[in-house]
């Protein structure tokens, strides 16, 4: 009953799992027979991997910067722990969503019966499969997209969304399969005896397959805005290096000692500037303000903090407080990277518009 497409269609041998067979058994009608099946490529495309790495990295940096600002101080508001956990959940959710999407796409099964084509897509991290069905029709293949390595997509429909800058919409069907032309020939043979689709929905898909008519006119304002974003991002990132240079140098090279708050100076309502007392490795005791300390909401006398200093300039000591040392620089650096990335994406979109328009 269950057989795989021949070697010209499917280059790797991976039988249907018991779970996949059970899902098919529940989906197939009493008179329906499985003719053949094919699987997508096991590896994701370079573009998918690149996008996943970039988005995941951006989320990790985003969460790291906010954790630094929320939890990197000497006083931590209990509400900050809740916000930090919420930010972490958002970042983890985005990364898990990308990872699961790539996993599900690579572990789908494309099935052809005597009545229809089916896409069985896992729902990881949840249980079960999501099943999409397409009745067999002699003209059911809206488009066959072949790539340089012979892989490609057999498109049955498109997601009902607006076209991108090149006039394309996300495709639905047998996607990312090896030997796409061989699979298309096998599918055409299976569907040859069925009448063609003539409904308005299929006509719309055929219309959407011609992406050239939906290509947007290149917008110079997009190029100008993207260029400005790149310049602003570069300026912000370059400025952040100056803010991070000195504290990073202290963190890596300065001597360490323990400083204790022995006095506070009230600056304004609920704002106290601590005065630290610390001893250097030469035995000298200093009682002074230090750089990168933060204001307290109450006079925390006796609070101990790590002090960074150089033996030849202990009067320029710095408190090891990650929020004040690196917070502003990290925040500026993050937004610089965001602006640069957004600007580069805008420039790429404009370039794609120009290429698609010139075809």
């Amino acid at each position: 009953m269950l057989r795989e497409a021949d070697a010209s269609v499917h280059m790797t041998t991976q039988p249907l799992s018991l779970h996949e067979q059970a899902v098919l058994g529940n989906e197939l009608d009493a008179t329906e027979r499985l003719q053949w099946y094919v699987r997508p490529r096991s590896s994701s495309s370079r573009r998918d991997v690149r996008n996943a790495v970039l988005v995941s990295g951006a989320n990790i940096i985003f969460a790291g910067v906010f954790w630094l600002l929320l939890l990197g101080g000497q006083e931590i508001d209990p509400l900050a722990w809740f916000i930090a956990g919420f930010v972490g959940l958002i970042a983890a959710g985005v990364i898990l969503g990308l990872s699961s999407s790539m996993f599900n796409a690579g572990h789908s099964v494309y099935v052809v019966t005597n009545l229809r084509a089916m896409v069985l897509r896992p729902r990881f991290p949840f249980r079960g499969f999501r099943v999409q069905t397409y009745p067999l029709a002699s003209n059911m293949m809206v488009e066959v997209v072949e790539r340089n390595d012979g892989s490609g997509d057999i498109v049955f429909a498109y997601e009902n969304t607006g076209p991108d800058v090149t006039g394309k919409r996300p495709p639905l069907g047998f996607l990312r399969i090896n030997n796409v032309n061989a699979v298309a020939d096998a599918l055409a043979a299976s569907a040859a005896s069925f009448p063609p689709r003539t409904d308005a929905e299929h006509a719309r898909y055929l219309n959407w397959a011609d992406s050239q008519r939906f290509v947007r006119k290149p917008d110079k304002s997009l190029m100008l805005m993207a260029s400005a974003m790149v310049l602003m991002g570069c300026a912000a990132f370059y400025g952040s290096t100056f803010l991070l240079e000195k504290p990073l140098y202290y963190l890596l090279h300065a001597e360490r000692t323990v400083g204790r708050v022995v006095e506070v100076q009230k600056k304004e309502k609920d704002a106290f500037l601590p005065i630290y007392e610390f001893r250097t490795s030469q035995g000298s005791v200093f009682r002074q303000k230090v750089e990168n300390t933060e204001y307290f909401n109450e006079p925390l006398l006796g609070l101990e903090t790590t002090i960074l200093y150089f033996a030849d300039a202990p009067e320029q000591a710095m408190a090891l407080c990650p929020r004040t040392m690196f917070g502003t620089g990290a925040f500026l650096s993050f937004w610089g990277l965001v602006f640069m990335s957004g600007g580069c994406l805008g420039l790429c979109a404009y370039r794609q518009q120009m290429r698609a328009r010139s075809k």
Side-chain angles (χ1 to χ4, degrees):
M1 175 182 176
L2 301 177
R3 72 180 181 87
E4 189 177 9
D6 57 46
S8 64
V9 173
H10 191 69
M11 300 301 293
T12 60
T13 302
Q14 184 181 355
L16 292 175
S17 67
L18 294 178
H19 191 193
E20 292 167 342
Q21 293 185 40
V23 172
L24 278 176
N26 293 330
E27 288 290 331
L28 299 184
D29 298 332
T31 59
E32 193 172 7
R33 301 184 310 277
L34 175 62
Q35 295 184 336
W36 52 268
Y37 66 91
V38 67
R39 296 183 184 274
R41 301 182 64 177
S42 57
S43 59
S44 301
S45 65
R46 291 182 179 179
R47 180 179 180 182
D48 291 338
V49 173
R50 180 197 64 195
N51 292 341
V53 170
L54 290 177
V55 174
S56 299
N59 275 272
I60 292 173
I61 295 174
F62 165 79
V65 170
F66 272 83
W67 285 340
L68 174 65
L69 295 175
L70 292 169
L71 307 177
Q74 294 168 298
E75 282 189 304
I76 301 177
D77 190 328
L79 180 61
W81 289 103
F82 174 79
I83 299 175
F86 182 72
V87 170
L89 287 176
I90 292 176
V94 172
I95 295 174
L96 178 62
L98 285 172
S99 302
S100 62
S101 178
M102 293 178 61
F103 176 87
N104 293 337
H107 291 77
S108 300
V109 184
Y110 304 139
V111 175
V112 175
T113 72
N114 60 322
L115 297 177
R116 53 182 169 164
M118 304 170 62
V119 176
L120 275 63
R121 186 182 178 93
R123 301 179 61 196
F124 178 82
F126 307 103
R127 293 180 57 84
F129 285 79
R130 182 166 62 92
V131 181
Q132 295 174 297
T133 62
Y134 304 91
L136 292 181
S138 58
N139 63 343
M140 66 182 300
M141 291 184 287
V142 175
E143 185 180 13
V144 177
V145 181
E146 182 182 11
R147 299 182 179 87
N148 294 333
D149 59 357
S151 66
D153 304 330
I154 299 177
V155 181
F156 301 147
Y158 296 94
E159 291 186 14
N160 190 16
T161 61
D164 61 16
V165 293
T166 61
K168 299 179 180 178
R169 295 172 173 83
L172 301 173
F174 292 179
L175 309 179
R176 296 176 54 248
I177 51 178
N178 291 314
N179 304 313
V180 63
N181 286 326
V183 178
D185 291 342
L187 182 59
S190 298
S193 60
F194 289 82
R197 288 184 62 178
T198 58
D199 54 283
E201 182 183 40
H202 186 67
R204 183 171 71 250
Y205 291 144
L206 291 175
N207 184 39
W208 286 356
D210 183 11
S211 59
Q212 186 66 27
R213 69 177 63 187
F214 300 104
V215 176
R216 303 176 191 173
K217 183 179 180 180
D219 188 357
K220 290 187 177 180
S221 62
L222 173 63
M223 180 188 66
L224 295 175
M225 184 181 299
S227 300
M229 289 181 64
V230 171
L231 293 176
M232 293 171 61
C234 290
F237 186 80
Y238 184 69
S240 70
T241 60
F242 287 96
L243 296 175
L244 295 173
E245 181 180 10
K246 183 177 178 180
L248 186 60
Y249 183 78
Y250 265 71
L251 180 67
L252 296 177
H253 302 287
E255 297 186 45
R256 285 166 167 76
T257 188
V258 176
R260 182 177 292 104
V261 178
V262 295
E263 183 183 345
V264 293
Q265 295 180 357
K266 189 171 183 179
K267 293 297 182 181
E268 54 188 53
K269 183 179 180 181
D270 296 332
F272 299 89
L273 177 66
I275 306 298
Y276 287 94
E277 181 179 277
F278 61 92
R279 183 185 298 272
T280 66
S281 57
Q282 291 77 24
S284 302
V285 177
F286 290 83
R287 184 189 182 101
Q288 63 179 56
K289 303 175 185 177
V290 297
E291 294 185 42
N292 285 322
T293 190
E294 62 179 353
Y295 287 87
F296 296 153
N297 293 327
E298 58 185 40
L300 300 177
L301 296 177
L303 178 69
E304 292 186 345
T305 301
T306 300
I307 302 296
L308 307 176
Y309 72 95
F310 288 99
D312 57 347
E315 66 280 357
Q316 298 179 13
M318 184 179 295
L320 182 55
C321 179
R323 178 190 295 168
T324 54
M325 288 178 67
F326 304 108
T328 303
F331 186 79
L332 191 62
S333 177
F334 171 74
W335 283 109
L337 291 173
V338 169
F339 268 69
M340 282 192 289
S341 301
C344 289
L345 290 175
L347 291 175
C348 288
Y350 181 78
R351 186 178 180 183
Q352 290 176 337
Q353 283 181 324
M354 294 293 290
R355 286 181 176 178
R357 195 73 176 182
S358 62
K359 290 182 180 180

